[in-house]
Amino acid sequence: MSPLSMDIQHLSPTSLNEPEYGEPAAIRRPDRPCDACRRRKSRCVINYNAASCVLCDFHHQECTFVETPQARKRKRNSTGEDGELAKKLYWDPELSRQLSYSSSVRTDPVIDDYADLKGPSLLKKTLGLQNRRHSRYIGSTTEYEASLLDLYICDDKGEVSMGHGSLRKVTGSESFQMLPDDTTQGHQGEVSDLDSIEQIVAPHGRALINLYFRIVHPSFPILHKKVYLEKYSRTHREFSPPLLAAVYIIALNWWSYSSDLAQLPKPDVQELERLASRTMNDVTHRPKLSTVQAGLLLFQRPKDEYCWAEIAQLVAIGQDLGLHLDCSGWKIPRWERGLRKRLAWALFMQDTWASLVFGRPPHISFSNWAVKPVVDDDFPESSADEDEEDGSAEVEKGRTLFIQMIQLSKMTKEVVESLYSQQAETKIRSAGSQAINIVLENAKPIQLKLRSWYTALPECLQMDNMKPRKLSSTGYLHLAYFITEITLHRRIIRTLSSDTDSILRGICRSAAKVRLVNVIEFFNHLKPEHLQSFWYFASKVNFALIGTYNALLWVTSLSKEESDFYRRQLQEYRWALRVSNNGAGFLEIASRILDRSIGVLMKAASTKDADIQDMN
């Protein structure tokens, strides 16, 4: 049994003032009970730095010391309000947690400038993760003329004082404004928000962070582990509130994978999400790399929600931070250059896959994208950092997975822009009977690249390549590949018409059928090690898109035999989704999305079946 569960089981009102986790003992002010506790004849306990005693805080009343003491009377047994509180504390672990954990949240002061830290630190020369300041990229058409900026003489930090902020040059031609946080929306309440987030999970914060870096981070490396742990070792108050909350929210999905946490009640996830959402709105006014990190993580939650506008905002914040630029030669720490590249490509993937699953034009264009490809040196962790505990993910495998997902996403973006952009749609519609030739002409080179990429995947990313008692996220990469191919063939199937040559039509439909059979076979062979791992945000919709594609092939069937085949496939797939979602919440969401989306298609398919029967 953990120390926490023992504390809850043996909690009593007389133990509330005992110091926990190295905090000072409760303070009495002054050395007598408050007026309310004296009237109740209750023990008066004031936790460290608290404005009122525990009972007054519980009853939401003012804690005063103004009344004169009354003459002592013989003590009688009582079942007053303090007795009721004692009963509640004993039988209600959640209430006891709220009261007793108030002193377990650290109250360390926050560092103003990382450059002034004593001893070694990765953060001393950071650009995008400063504590009291944020940065904004100075674009080439703003009021700041690059040629004039060259005239400024920088100090030893590479900065020039300008108005209420400063200017920091990272290359001879690229600069950032460094602006104070304290004038931005919500900054005054940031420490209070951080304390509230930490108190919700206390004292399990470190255990949840360990879970996150064991299971999620290897396959989605958008944080810098050593930087995150360095900050947390000093105080949780150094973080951006939504990032601290997001790490906890994501890690809570694997609560049972920690031997220290599995038998304990989970913290309040809904309250964490409420705080994450509210504070995310605040930090967008002082953009940092942590703002993008928080947004990307919150998008990974297994939820059925529409977030296209929020993704547009996150892309804009990334541009404020210069994430669309080549930072290879910037005068910033090496670790931050690697982090910026990983974050930039994660933002690119988010935009690309959201564009596909929401049916919207992407915000990021290649014409304004100068980010270099990620390489092994951009990832600070190696196999030496791997956790050996059961249920962890493989670090080097995750790194390769992330790199390959970037490569695939570039091709996915090509499919979306070449076959589904407004320009492409107009060209196809105006081509008449030649439309299918235009589609095939655009699709063929992408199809060849996709096939070449898939056959060249490293051995470690094959679906059956797994270590004993390790989780594997390779499923989301393979699913993304199949969905990219399906999206390409959806365009082809839609374009076929009665005017299309029958042989060509047969070839196209046969190729489309192969893709459906392949992806369903992939789904049927998923193992618990895959299903319990981290899945990329688009996966829940991607699984639903398999059913949508199946339904499309059904309603466009050319014979009764073909129609029966696709109807059976769809029925079997919907059933498989339902029975496989136990413990895999994203599949439950996928099943719900599919059921919601194919209602009209199913009705249309039934009508089509009737027409085919009449023809035969």
Side-chain angles (χ1 to χ4, degrees):
M1 182 179 296
S2 71
L4 173 65
S5 57
M6 292 175 67
D7 288 344
I8 290 178
Q9 290 186 14
H10 296 92
L11 186 65
S12 66
T14 59
S15 68
L16 282 172
N17 64 331
E18 293 177 2
E20 289 188 82
Y21 308 100
E23 291 290 337
I27 297 175
R28 297 179 181 277
R29 185 194 74 249
D31 192 19
R32 65 178 177 82
C34 70
D35 301 332
C37 286
R38 182 186 298 112
R39 288 194 297 272
R40 297 190 190 99
K41 298 182 176 61
S42 305
R43 182 170 185 171
C44 186
V45 178
I46 305 174
N47 284 327
Y48 180 66
N49 276 346
S52 61
C53 72
V54 169
L55 284 174
C56 286
D57 184 69
F58 177 75
H59 292 292
H60 304 290
Q61 64 186 49
E62 186 179 5
C63 189
T64 61
F65 295 82
V66 295
E67 298 177 5
T68 56
Q70 297 179 352
R72 288 180 176 271
K73 296 181 180 179
R74 183 181 301 173
K75 186 176 180 180
R76 299 177 181 176
N77 292 330
S78 173
T79 58
E81 290 178 302
D82 57 324
E84 290 300 312
L85 174 59
K87 293 178 183 177
K88 289 180 179 179
L89 287 171
Y90 188 81
W91 295 108
D92 187 346
E94 177 60 23
L95 177 58
S96 68
R97 187 183 73 83
Q98 292 174 5
L99 294 175
S100 64
Y101 288 172
S102 60
S103 62
S104 70
V105 175
R106 295 173 292 176
T107 57
D108 306 82
V110 183
I111 295 166
D112 286 333
D113 190 344
Y114 286 126
D116 298 330
L117 275 173
K118 296 180 180 179
S121 171
L122 291 168
L123 290 157
K124 287 190 175 183
K125 296 183 179 180
T126 181
L127 170 66
L129 284 175
Q130 294 201 19
N131 212 22
R132 298 292 192 182
R133 299 191 300 171
H134 59 279
S135 60
R136 291 187 188 274
Y137 175 67
I138 299 177
S140 57
T141 57
T142 67
E143 70 273 23
Y144 296 99
E145 172 55 48
S147 300
L148 298 179
L149 295 178
D150 289 340
L151 302 176
Y152 289 100
I153 300 175
C154 300
D155 59 21
D156 57 353
K157 294 181 180 179
E159 297 185 16
V160 178
S161 180
M162 293 182 66
H164 71 295
S166 64
L167 178 145
R168 178 170 171 177
K169 299 186 72 174
V170 292
T171 68
S173 59
E174 292 169 313
S175 304
F176 285 81
Q177 284 180 290
M178 306 302 298
L179 303 168
D181 289 350
D182 55 13
T183 59
T184 60
Q185 174 181 309
H187 181 260
Q188 298 303 317
E190 188 165 270
V191 170
S192 175
D193 289 332
L194 286 163
D195 287 349
S196 296
I197 291 166
E198 189 69 10
Q199 184 161 330
I200 290 171
V201 302
H204 309 310
R206 182 55 191 257
L208 285 170
I209 290 169
N210 288 342
L211 262 182
Y212 174 85
F213 283 109
R214 274 179 50 204
I215 296 174
V216 180
H217 179 71
S219 304
F220 195 57
I222 64 167
L223 302 184
H224 191 290
K225 183 177 180 180
K226 290 181 180 177
V227 167
Y228 197 96
L229 296 182
E230 178 192 321
K231 284 186 169 189
Y232 194 79
S233 68
R234 284 189 293 263
T235 173
H236 63 277
R237 292 178 167 184
E238 287 188 29
F239 291 100
S240 167
L243 177 58
L244 183 68
V247 168
Y248 290 149
I249 289 168
I250 297 297
L252 281 167
N253 292 300
W254 288 273
W255 178 267
S256 63
Y257 278 76
S258 168
S259 56
D260 296 329
L261 303 176
Q263 302 305 316
L264 300 174
K266 275 188 178 183
D268 188 344
V269 180
Q270 290 184 339
E271 181 62 13
L272 278 175
E273 291 188 333
R274 186 190 69 79
L275 284 167
S277 177
R278 179 175 62 76
T279 57
M280 188 68 190
N281 290 331
D282 289 339
V283 299
T284 56
H285 298 279
R286 45 184 181 277
K288 303 179 184 182
L289 298 183
S290 56
T291 311
V292 179
Q293 291 169 327
L296 289 172
L297 283 180
L298 290 172
F299 290 140
Q300 307 310 310
R301 292 173 295 172
K303 284 185 170 291
D304 178 11
E305 59 185 9
Y306 182 79
C307 56
W308 183 243
E310 289 83 355
I311 291 170
Q313 184 181 43
L314 202 64
V315 170
I317 290 171
Q319 292 169 342
D320 260 356
L321 296 168
L323 288 180
H324 59 298
L325 305 172
D326 176 16
C327 66
S328 302
W330 288 9
K331 297 175 184 177
I332 58 176
R334 180 180 176 182
W335 66 263
E336 186 172 340
R337 291 198 293 269
L339 175 61
R340 281 177 168 270
K341 289 171 68 177
R342 299 196 309 275
L343 262 183
W345 284 112
L347 195 58
F348 175 91
M349 291 193 297
Q350 185 74 35
D351 183 57
T352 297
W353 284 97
S355 170
L356 190 153
V357 300
F358 295 136
R360 299 286 184 268
H363 303 103
I364 295 173
S365 65
F366 283 122
S367 61
N368 282 305
W369 190 256
V371 186
K372 297 292 186 184
V374 289
V375 295
D376 285 349
D377 285 347
D378 295 321
F379 298 81
E381 289 92 33
S382 66
S383 57
D385 300 290
E386 198 165 297
D387 198 302
E388 294 303 320
E389 187 171 348
D390 288 357
S392 300
E394 300 172 58
V395 171
E396 293 191 355
K397 184 176 183 176
R399 177 178 64 206
T400 306
L401 170 61
F402 187 74
I403 292 173
Q404 291 298 327
M405 186 64 175
I406 293 171
Q407 297 302 317
L408 174 62
S409 298
K410 292 179 185 178
M411 290 180 277
T412 305
K413 186 178 182 68
E414 283 189 66
V415 170
V416 171
E417 294 191 340
S418 298
L419 300 176
Y420 292 91
S421 68
Q422 286 306 301
Q423 188 177 27
E425 293 275 7
T426 300
K427 188 175 181 180
I428 293 167
R429 281 196 299 266
S430 62
S433 61
Q434 296 301 310
I436 187 61
N437 295 328
I438 292 174
V439 170
L440 292 175
E441 183 180 341
N442 289 340
K444 185 175 180 179
I446 306 173
Q447 175 71 71
L448 292 174
K449 281 198 289 186
L450 281 167
R451 175 55 55 184
S452 177
W453 172 85
Y454 190 67
T455 57
L457 274 180
E459 179 64 27
C460 68
L461 296 184
Q462 301 304 316
M463 289 298 292
D464 57 357
N465 189 300
M466 292 182 294
K467 288 185 178 179
R469 299 183 303 281
K470 290 283 188 180
L471 296 180
S472 174
S473 289
T474 52
Y476 85 67
L477 176 68
H478 287 257
L479 174 64
Y481 162 73
F482 287 121
I483 293 303
T484 301
E485 283 221 319
I486 279 176
T487 304
L488 185 149
H489 283 273
R490 280 178 77 181
R491 175 78 271 179
I492 295 173
I493 294 299
R494 285 185 194 174
T495 312
L496 294 174
S497 69
S498 57
D499 295 330
T500 305
D501 178 79
S502 59
I503 296 176
L504 178 58
R505 186 165 52 181
I507 292 172
C508 292
R509 292 194 63 84
S510 176
K513 179 180 180 180
V514 169
R515 270 65 186 182
L516 177 64
V517 171
N518 286 345
V519 72
I520 290 181
E521 183 180 5
F522 153 80
F523 173 71
N524 290 335
H525 284 84
L526 288 174
K527 299 179 180 178
E529 292 87 346
H530 299 125
L531 293 174
Q532 296 297 313
S533 68
F534 168 75
W535 283 79
Y536 191 54
F537 91 99
S539 300
K540 53 186 179 288
V541 183
N542 285 347
F543 277 113
L545 287 175
I546 297 171
T548 301
Y549 180 62
N550 192 330
L552 171 64
L553 292 174
W554 182 12
V555 299
T556 57
S557 296
L558 302 176
S559 68
K560 176 67 166 56
E561 180 183 8
E562 190 181 22
S563 176
D564 288 345
F565 171 80
Y566 288 124
R567 181 177 62 248
R568 287 194 304 271
Q569 284 282 71
L570 183 56
Q571 290 170 341
E572 290 172 4
Y573 179 66
R574 292 177 70 194
W575 171 252
L577 266 184
R578 292 193 187 104
V579 299
S580 300
N581 64 35
N582 185 29
F586 64 96
L587 288 183
E588 182 179 355
I589 295 170
S591 181
R592 191 162 61 244
I593 293 172
L594 180 58
D595 289 343
R596 184 176 66 219
S597 67
I598 65 173
V600 175
L601 292 175
M602 293 289 284
K603 184 176 180 180
S606 298
T607 304
K608 180 69 175 179
D609 268 358
D611 292 342
I612 292 172
Q613 286 180 341
D614 291 341
M615 291 169 59
N616 290 281

